[in-house]
Amino acid sequence: MCSLIRRSLGAAAAVLVAGLAVTLASAGTGAAQPLLPPPPAADVAFPIPDPDPFYQPTPNIAARAPGDVLKVRPLPPSYYFPGSAMWEVLFRSTDSQGNPIAANTTYVLPANHAPDGPLVSYQHIINSLGHKCKIVTELYTSDPLHQIREAAGLNIALARGWAVSLPDHLGPRMAYGAAKLGGQITLDGIRAVKRVPELQVTNSPVGLGGYSGGGMATAWAAALAPTYAPELDIVGAAIGGAPMNLGKMAQGLGTNPHPAFGLAMAAALGLEREYPDRIDVSGQLNAQGRWLKQMIGNGCTNEIMLFGVGRSAAEMTDNKNFMDNPEAWKVMDENSVELYPGVPKAPIFEWHSPTDALIPVDSIDNTLRRYCEAGTPVQTLLTPTPDHLSAAALGVFQGLDWMDARFRGDPPPSTC
């Protein structure tokens, strides 16, 4: 278990949201830990099921094809996207074992969208284990700790008349860390909104976008599309700061106390949810580990960061041998884009800081080099910033302009 958490630490730490990273960056590895409140009841579910019956799969889900629409409903207007109409779509997707699941996406249609005009699927940084943290939920809360920080860039896309799909790409188990799953849900969410005529994107060209954890889902969607959803007209994918190799990243971070350890623990628990027959985290936890699981097992990013700050894998278990679990390594490899042999057909715009200490930059270079050698146009932007966080915003505007050119049909540039 400890080796799994050590490896998950890298994947999790690379997907900090901006506000929390700024708040906690000064809390070095020796940061004081918060007081320990009592945990929830010991028999609490992980995750607690979403109380909204809309998200329950239909009885015939096994007979449906990936991307088939299960339910559709209009949503109230959101103050994040003034003037746009909103829908929620439940659709059939596929989990990491190939089983049918029900997943959801929030669809935003601007007033100036032309029928069959551009569609963008944007994968948010979700970083959570609880259903209360879904994008569709956070779009309608006034809680200042649960805000959609990517809304400014999305409103630029909406102002250009692009429809936007916002999938909850962690799936029904809130399986944080299962990046390949996120790619499958993303592609099935695009299929689904295209199958609802009133959403006006049946024949739309598609763009993909996302940063960090959302970039992982985006990178996986781009790489999987030629075989998983070859019928989709994906014109480009804008991928920022995406961890391309989870195991390599985790090796670099080690097992020392870390201000973002809560996210590492959350990733380990999320992978356990998605791969219960291959990964055992909960069975190896000691009292402190069980306490942390109770505190974050249904939490959003803020809670996960708060209760895990300054902790380490060694504190979570009494297994002092730190024995590696070969299956855990395999799972990490299976969720690493660098190690996936498939190559996107759509052109790629990729940006990151060349000195980003949270993600293995050489894995990005290796992945993009392989894409270039296969003939995929790749444009890379190295941001003039030293870290993962500050690079996030610097590529957004160039990425939007790059995507606009793909929608116009301009030849894609390449820095290969």
Side-chain angles (χ1 to χ4, degrees), residues 19 36 52 64 75 93 111 114 166 178 183 204 233 263 287 291 294 301 303 322 345 347 367 380 391 403:
L36 307 187
D52 189 334
R64 308 298 295 272
L75 294 174
S93 192
L166 305 173
S204 292
D233 179 18
L263 290 178
W291 174 87
Q294 292 290 104
T301 308
E303 298 151 272
F322 296 98
K345 290 184 178 179
T367 304
T380 300
M403 190 66 71

PDB file of all heavy atoms in Angstrom, residues 19 36 52 64 75 93 111 114 166 178 183 204 233 263 287 291 294 301 303 322 345 347 367 380 391 403:
ATOM      1  N   GLY A  19      -6.099  27.964  -6.381  1.00  0.00           N
ATOM      2  CA  GLY A  19      -6.239  28.629  -5.094  1.00  0.00           C
ATOM      3  C   GLY A  19      -5.614  27.851  -3.954  1.00  0.00           C
ATOM      4  O   GLY A  19      -4.938  28.411  -3.099  1.00  0.00           O
ATOM      5  N   LEU A  36      -7.309  17.262  14.700  1.00  0.00           N
ATOM      6  CA  LEU A  36      -8.016  16.119  14.159  1.00  0.00           C
ATOM      7  C   LEU A  36      -9.443  16.091  14.665  1.00  0.00           C
ATOM      8  O   LEU A  36      -9.679  15.739  15.826  1.00  0.00           O
ATOM      9  CB  LEU A  36      -7.302  14.823  14.539  1.00  0.00           C
ATOM     10  CG  LEU A  36      -5.813  14.743  14.199  1.00  0.00           C
ATOM     11  CD1 LEU A  36      -5.301  13.333  14.485  1.00  0.00           C
ATOM     12  CD2 LEU A  36      -5.557  15.129  12.764  1.00  0.00           C
ATOM     13  N   ASP A  52     -29.383  12.140  -5.966  1.00  0.00           N
ATOM     14  CA  ASP A  52     -30.243  12.508  -7.093  1.00  0.00           C
ATOM     15  C   ASP A  52     -30.509  11.271  -7.943  1.00  0.00           C
ATOM     16  O   ASP A  52     -29.577  10.694  -8.522  1.00  0.00           O
ATOM     17  CB  ASP A  52     -29.559  13.585  -7.933  1.00  0.00           C
ATOM     18  CG  ASP A  52     -30.471  14.186  -8.986  1.00  0.00           C
ATOM     19  OD1 ASP A  52     -31.422  13.506  -9.411  1.00  0.00           O
ATOM     20  OD2 ASP A  52     -30.219  15.333  -9.404  1.00  0.00           O
ATOM     21  N   ARG A  64     -26.993  -1.339 -23.837  1.00  0.00           N
ATOM     22  CA  ARG A  64     -26.741  -0.102 -24.565  1.00  0.00           C
ATOM     23  C   ARG A  64     -25.289  -0.013 -25.006  1.00  0.00           C
ATOM     24  O   ARG A  64     -24.386  -0.606 -24.406  1.00  0.00           O
ATOM     25  CB  ARG A  64     -27.096   1.110 -23.693  1.00  0.00           C
ATOM     26  CG  ARG A  64     -28.495   1.062 -23.088  1.00  0.00           C
ATOM     27  CD  ARG A  64     -29.590   1.056 -24.148  1.00  0.00           C
ATOM     28  NE  ARG A  64     -29.612   2.288 -24.904  1.00  0.00           N
ATOM     29  CZ  ARG A  64     -30.306   3.378 -24.553  1.00  0.00           C
ATOM     30  NH1 ARG A  64     -31.006   3.375 -23.417  1.00  0.00           N
ATOM     31  NH2 ARG A  64     -30.292   4.454 -25.316  1.00  0.00           N
ATOM     32  N   LEU A  75     -31.149  22.193 -17.252  1.00  0.00           N
ATOM     33  CA  LEU A  75     -30.693  22.720 -15.970  1.00  0.00           C
ATOM     34  C   LEU A  75     -31.026  24.204 -15.874  1.00  0.00           C
ATOM     35  O   LEU A  75     -31.183  24.880 -16.905  1.00  0.00           O
ATOM     36  CB  LEU A  75     -29.182  22.532 -15.828  1.00  0.00           C
ATOM     37  CG  LEU A  75     -28.658  21.100 -15.748  1.00  0.00           C
ATOM     38  CD1 LEU A  75     -27.135  21.098 -15.755  1.00  0.00           C
ATOM     39  CD2 LEU A  75     -29.194  20.379 -14.518  1.00  0.00           C
ATOM     40  N   SER A  93     -21.222   4.529 -20.492  1.00  0.00           N
ATOM     41  CA  SER A  93     -19.797   4.499 -20.781  1.00  0.00           C
ATOM     42  C   SER A  93     -19.231   3.157 -20.326  1.00  0.00           C
ATOM     43  O   SER A  93     -19.981   2.198 -20.092  1.00  0.00           O
ATOM     44  CB  SER A  93     -19.077   5.669 -20.098  1.00  0.00           C
ATOM     45  OG  SER A  93     -17.749   5.798 -20.591  1.00  0.00           O
ATOM     46  N   ALA A 111     -25.977  31.346 -26.751  1.00  0.00           N
ATOM     47  CA  ALA A 111     -27.064  31.852 -27.601  1.00  0.00           C
ATOM     48  C   ALA A 111     -26.616  32.037 -29.040  1.00  0.00           C
ATOM     49  O   ALA A 111     -27.434  31.979 -29.969  1.00  0.00           O
ATOM     50  CB  ALA A 111     -27.599  33.166 -27.030  1.00  0.00           C
ATOM     51  N   ALA A 114     -24.272  28.338 -33.769  1.00  0.00           N
ATOM     52  CA  ALA A 114     -24.943  27.915 -34.998  1.00  0.00           C
ATOM     53  C   ALA A 114     -25.088  26.401 -34.992  1.00  0.00           C
ATOM     54  O   ALA A 114     -24.182  25.691 -34.529  1.00  0.00           O
ATOM     55  CB  ALA A 114     -24.147  28.362 -36.212  1.00  0.00           C
ATOM     56  N   LEU A 166     -18.912  19.391 -20.432  1.00  0.00           N
ATOM     57  CA  LEU A 166     -18.094  19.355 -19.218  1.00  0.00           C
ATOM     58  C   LEU A 166     -18.323  18.016 -18.512  1.00  0.00           C
ATOM     59  O   LEU A 166     -19.160  17.901 -17.617  1.00  0.00           O
ATOM     60  CB  LEU A 166     -18.468  20.516 -18.286  1.00  0.00           C
ATOM     61  CG  LEU A 166     -18.392  21.919 -18.897  1.00  0.00           C
ATOM     62  CD1 LEU A 166     -18.959  22.948 -17.922  1.00  0.00           C
ATOM     63  CD2 LEU A 166     -16.958  22.259 -19.280  1.00  0.00           C
ATOM     64  N   ALA A 178      -7.754   7.334 -11.896  1.00  0.00           N
ATOM     65  CA  ALA A 178      -7.964   6.412 -13.013  1.00  0.00           C
ATOM     66  C   ALA A 178      -8.079   7.210 -14.309  1.00  0.00           C
ATOM     67  O   ALA A 178      -9.168   7.493 -14.794  1.00  0.00           O
ATOM     68  CB  ALA A 178      -9.205   5.559 -12.774  1.00  0.00           C
ATOM     69  N   GLY A 183     -10.522   9.273 -20.014  1.00  0.00           N
ATOM     70  CA  GLY A 183     -10.528   9.412 -21.466  1.00  0.00           C
ATOM     71  C   GLY A 183     -11.733   8.756 -22.095  1.00  0.00           C
ATOM     72  O   GLY A 183     -12.351   9.296 -23.025  1.00  0.00           O
ATOM     73  N   SER A 204     -21.149  18.331 -35.484  1.00  0.00           N
ATOM     74  CA  SER A 204     -20.149  19.332 -35.125  1.00  0.00           C
ATOM     75  C   SER A 204     -18.735  18.767 -35.113  1.00  0.00           C
ATOM     76  O   SER A 204     -18.508  17.632 -34.671  1.00  0.00           O
ATOM     77  CB  SER A 204     -20.450  19.911 -33.729  1.00  0.00           C
ATOM     78  OG  SER A 204     -21.625  20.681 -33.738  1.00  0.00           O
ATOM     79  N   ASP A 233     -15.319  13.365 -35.137  1.00  0.00           N
ATOM     80  CA  ASP A 233     -14.509  14.305 -35.917  1.00  0.00           C
ATOM     81  C   ASP A 233     -13.768  15.225 -34.945  1.00  0.00           C
ATOM     82  O   ASP A 233     -14.170  16.361 -34.706  1.00  0.00           O
ATOM     83  CB  ASP A 233     -15.416  15.110 -36.851  1.00  0.00           C
ATOM     84  CG  ASP A 233     -14.640  16.132 -37.681  1.00  0.00           C
ATOM     85  OD1 ASP A 233     -13.394  15.992 -37.796  1.00  0.00           O
ATOM     86  OD2 ASP A 233     -15.276  17.070 -38.210  1.00  0.00           O
ATOM     87  N   LEU A 263      -3.942  14.611  -1.513  1.00  0.00           N
ATOM     88  CA  LEU A 263      -4.295  14.238  -2.874  1.00  0.00           C
ATOM     89  C   LEU A 263      -3.672  12.900  -3.258  1.00  0.00           C
ATOM     90  O   LEU A 263      -4.249  12.132  -4.032  1.00  0.00           O
ATOM     91  CB  LEU A 263      -3.848  15.340  -3.846  1.00  0.00           C
ATOM     92  CG  LEU A 263      -4.641  16.647  -3.763  1.00  0.00           C
ATOM     93  CD1 LEU A 263      -4.073  17.679  -4.728  1.00  0.00           C
ATOM     94  CD2 LEU A 263      -6.118  16.418  -4.045  1.00  0.00           C
ATOM     95  N   ALA A 287      -4.495   3.027  12.267  1.00  0.00           N
ATOM     96  CA  ALA A 287      -5.526   3.908  12.812  1.00  0.00           C
ATOM     97  C   ALA A 287      -5.490   5.285  12.169  1.00  0.00           C
ATOM     98  O   ALA A 287      -6.535   5.864  11.842  1.00  0.00           O
ATOM     99  CB  ALA A 287      -5.361   4.029  14.328  1.00  0.00           C
ATOM    100  N   TRP A 291      -8.350   6.921   9.831  1.00  0.00           N
ATOM    101  CA  TRP A 291      -8.907   8.240  10.128  1.00  0.00           C
ATOM    102  C   TRP A 291      -8.881   9.127   8.890  1.00  0.00           C
ATOM    103  O   TRP A 291      -9.883   9.778   8.561  1.00  0.00           O
ATOM    104  CB  TRP A 291      -8.107   8.907  11.249  1.00  0.00           C
ATOM    105  CG  TRP A 291      -8.532  10.324  11.498  1.00  0.00           C
ATOM    106  CD1 TRP A 291      -9.536  10.748  12.318  1.00  0.00           C
ATOM    107  CD2 TRP A 291      -7.991  11.501  10.889  1.00  0.00           C
ATOM    108  NE1 TRP A 291      -9.659  12.116  12.257  1.00  0.00           N
ATOM    109  CE2 TRP A 291      -8.719  12.610  11.385  1.00  0.00           C
ATOM    110  CE3 TRP A 291      -6.962  11.734   9.979  1.00  0.00           C
ATOM    111  CZ2 TRP A 291      -8.453  13.915  11.001  1.00  0.00           C
ATOM    112  CZ3 TRP A 291      -6.696  13.034   9.589  1.00  0.00           C
ATOM    113  CH2 TRP A 291      -7.432  14.112  10.101  1.00  0.00           C
ATOM    114  N   GLN A 294     -11.504   8.136   6.404  1.00  0.00           N
ATOM    115  CA  GLN A 294     -12.829   8.588   6.830  1.00  0.00           C
ATOM    116  C   GLN A 294     -13.037  10.074   6.539  1.00  0.00           C
ATOM    117  O   GLN A 294     -14.122  10.498   6.155  1.00  0.00           O
ATOM    118  CB  GLN A 294     -13.014   8.331   8.325  1.00  0.00           C
ATOM    119  CG  GLN A 294     -13.102   6.866   8.716  1.00  0.00           C
ATOM    120  CD  GLN A 294     -14.392   6.229   8.234  1.00  0.00           C
ATOM    121  OE1 GLN A 294     -14.389   5.492   7.257  1.00  0.00           O
ATOM    122  NE2 GLN A 294     -15.487   6.513   8.909  1.00  0.00           N
ATOM    123  N   THR A 301     -11.650  18.727  -3.034  1.00  0.00           N
ATOM    124  CA  THR A 301     -10.238  19.071  -2.991  1.00  0.00           C
ATOM    125  C   THR A 301      -9.854  19.782  -1.704  1.00  0.00           C
ATOM    126  O   THR A 301      -8.816  19.485  -1.103  1.00  0.00           O
ATOM    127  CB  THR A 301      -9.871  19.958  -4.189  1.00  0.00           C
ATOM    128  OG1 THR A 301     -10.321  19.322  -5.381  1.00  0.00           O
ATOM    129  CG2 THR A 301      -8.380  20.183  -4.268  1.00  0.00           C
ATOM    130  N   GLU A 303     -11.096  19.717   1.359  1.00  0.00           N
ATOM    131  CA  GLU A 303     -11.027  18.820   2.509  1.00  0.00           C
ATOM    132  C   GLU A 303      -9.838  17.865   2.383  1.00  0.00           C
ATOM    133  O   GLU A 303      -9.132  17.595   3.356  1.00  0.00           O
ATOM    134  CB  GLU A 303     -12.323  18.016   2.607  1.00  0.00           C
ATOM    135  CG  GLU A 303     -13.561  18.854   2.831  1.00  0.00           C
ATOM    136  CD  GLU A 303     -14.788  18.184   2.249  1.00  0.00           C
ATOM    137  OE1 GLU A 303     -15.087  18.400   1.065  1.00  0.00           O
ATOM    138  OE2 GLU A 303     -15.441  17.430   2.997  1.00  0.00           O
ATOM    139  N   PHE A 322       7.342  -1.819   3.370  1.00  0.00           N
ATOM    140  CA  PHE A 322       7.071  -1.057   2.154  1.00  0.00           C
ATOM    141  C   PHE A 322       7.194  -1.930   0.906  1.00  0.00           C
ATOM    142  O   PHE A 322       7.820  -1.546  -0.088  1.00  0.00           O
ATOM    143  CB  PHE A 322       8.013   0.160   2.032  1.00  0.00           C
ATOM    144  CG  PHE A 322       7.829   1.158   3.117  1.00  0.00           C
ATOM    145  CD1 PHE A 322       8.672   1.173   4.225  1.00  0.00           C
ATOM    146  CD2 PHE A 322       6.802   2.075   3.053  1.00  0.00           C
ATOM    147  CE1 PHE A 322       8.502   2.096   5.241  1.00  0.00           C
ATOM    148  CE2 PHE A 322       6.610   3.005   4.061  1.00  0.00           C
ATOM    149  CZ  PHE A 322       7.458   3.020   5.156  1.00  0.00           C
ATOM    150  N   LYS A 345      -4.771  10.790 -33.809  1.00  0.00           N
ATOM    151  CA  LYS A 345      -4.797  11.246 -35.195  1.00  0.00           C
ATOM    152  C   LYS A 345      -4.991  12.757 -35.268  1.00  0.00           C
ATOM    153  O   LYS A 345      -4.541  13.400 -36.219  1.00  0.00           O
ATOM    154  CB  LYS A 345      -5.918  10.535 -35.957  1.00  0.00           C
ATOM    155  CG  LYS A 345      -5.668   9.058 -36.199  1.00  0.00           C
ATOM    156  CD  LYS A 345      -6.780   8.443 -37.044  1.00  0.00           C
ATOM    157  CE  LYS A 345      -6.499   6.971 -37.321  1.00  0.00           C
ATOM    158  NZ  LYS A 345      -7.592   6.346 -38.125  1.00  0.00           N
ATOM    159  N   PRO A 347      -4.409  16.693 -34.414  1.00  0.00           N
ATOM    160  CA  PRO A 347      -3.246  17.492 -34.023  1.00  0.00           C
ATOM    161  C   PRO A 347      -3.304  17.874 -32.552  1.00  0.00           C
ATOM    162  O   PRO A 347      -4.378  17.961 -31.947  1.00  0.00           O
ATOM    163  CB  PRO A 347      -3.315  18.712 -34.934  1.00  0.00           C
ATOM    164  CG  PRO A 347      -4.727  18.770 -35.413  1.00  0.00           C
ATOM    165  CD  PRO A 347      -5.218  17.364 -35.449  1.00  0.00           C
ATOM    166  N   THR A 367       6.602  11.275 -25.057  1.00  0.00           N
ATOM    167  CA  THR A 367       5.278  11.031 -25.644  1.00  0.00           C
ATOM    168  C   THR A 367       5.093  11.844 -26.912  1.00  0.00           C
ATOM    169  O   THR A 367       4.659  11.316 -27.953  1.00  0.00           O
ATOM    170  CB  THR A 367       4.183  11.381 -24.625  1.00  0.00           C
ATOM    171  OG1 THR A 367       4.395  10.640 -23.423  1.00  0.00           O
ATOM    172  CG2 THR A 367       2.810  11.057 -25.182  1.00  0.00           C
ATOM    173  N   THR A 380       4.265  22.615 -29.467  1.00  0.00           N
ATOM    174  CA  THR A 380       4.574  22.681 -28.050  1.00  0.00           C
ATOM    175  C   THR A 380       4.894  24.114 -27.645  1.00  0.00           C
ATOM    176  O   THR A 380       5.626  24.815 -28.347  1.00  0.00           O
ATOM    177  CB  THR A 380       5.788  21.793 -27.705  1.00  0.00           C
ATOM    178  OG1 THR A 380       5.483  20.437 -28.053  1.00  0.00           O
ATOM    179  CG2 THR A 380       6.112  21.867 -26.216  1.00  0.00           C
ATOM    180  N   ALA A 391       2.119  27.921 -14.870  1.00  0.00           N
ATOM    181  CA  ALA A 391       2.021  27.612 -16.295  1.00  0.00           C
ATOM    182  C   ALA A 391       0.583  27.403 -16.743  1.00  0.00           C
ATOM    183  O   ALA A 391       0.285  27.502 -17.933  1.00  0.00           O
ATOM    184  CB  ALA A 391       2.850  26.379 -16.614  1.00  0.00           C
ATOM    185  N   MET A 403      -7.117  26.322 -31.248  1.00  0.00           N
ATOM    186  CA  MET A 403      -8.320  25.544 -31.513  1.00  0.00           C
ATOM    187  C   MET A 403      -9.220  26.240 -32.521  1.00  0.00           C
ATOM    188  O   MET A 403      -9.843  25.590 -33.385  1.00  0.00           O
ATOM    189  CB  MET A 403      -9.073  25.308 -30.204  1.00  0.00           C
ATOM    190  CG  MET A 403     -10.220  24.300 -30.315  1.00  0.00           C
ATOM    191  SD  MET A 403      -9.655  22.614 -30.662  1.00  0.00           S
ATOM    192  CE  MET A 403      -8.910  22.201 -29.091  1.00  0.00           C
TER     193      MET A 403
END
